[in-house]
Amino acid sequence: LATNRPVSLPNAPESFSAVIGGRLVAPSEREELVRDNPAHEVPVSRYPRATAEDVRLAAEAARAAADRRVWSGMSGAERARI
């Protein structure tokens, strides 16, 4: 749908954190991935680059959650409320 309204570009890219075990965690290294909008090549978001340690912690948290059947033990209706 085309409109004649001007497009508003972000002043600065939005930054995101990693979520491991349901908690926001600081990246173990400060390197970031920057995502540009391909339509106008302006950076729109930044993500922490995961290290092997970050991946290991995330995998452990995922396994623990699966073992507790937190998500898989919920009905579709329960998941929809989250």
Side-chain angles (χ1 to χ4, degrees), residues 15-74:
S15 291
F16 294 90
S17 296
V19 178
I20 298 176
R23 294 192 173 109
L24 291 174
V25 295
S28 54
E29 293 187 9
R30 294 290 169 217
E31 188 175 353
E32 293 181 316
L33 302 171
V34 178
R35 181 186 163 273
D36 293 345
N37 183 316
H40 47 68
E41 298 181 357
V42 172
V44 293
S45 55
R46 298 184 326 211
Y47 303 90
R49 181 181 295 273
T51 64
E53 178 65 8
D54 296 327
V55 173
R56 185 187 67 73
L57 292 171
E60 285 178 2
R63 171 53 41 205
D67 290 346
R68 289 191 314 270
R69 298 189 44 82
V70 174
W71 184 257
S72 63
M74 291 181 185

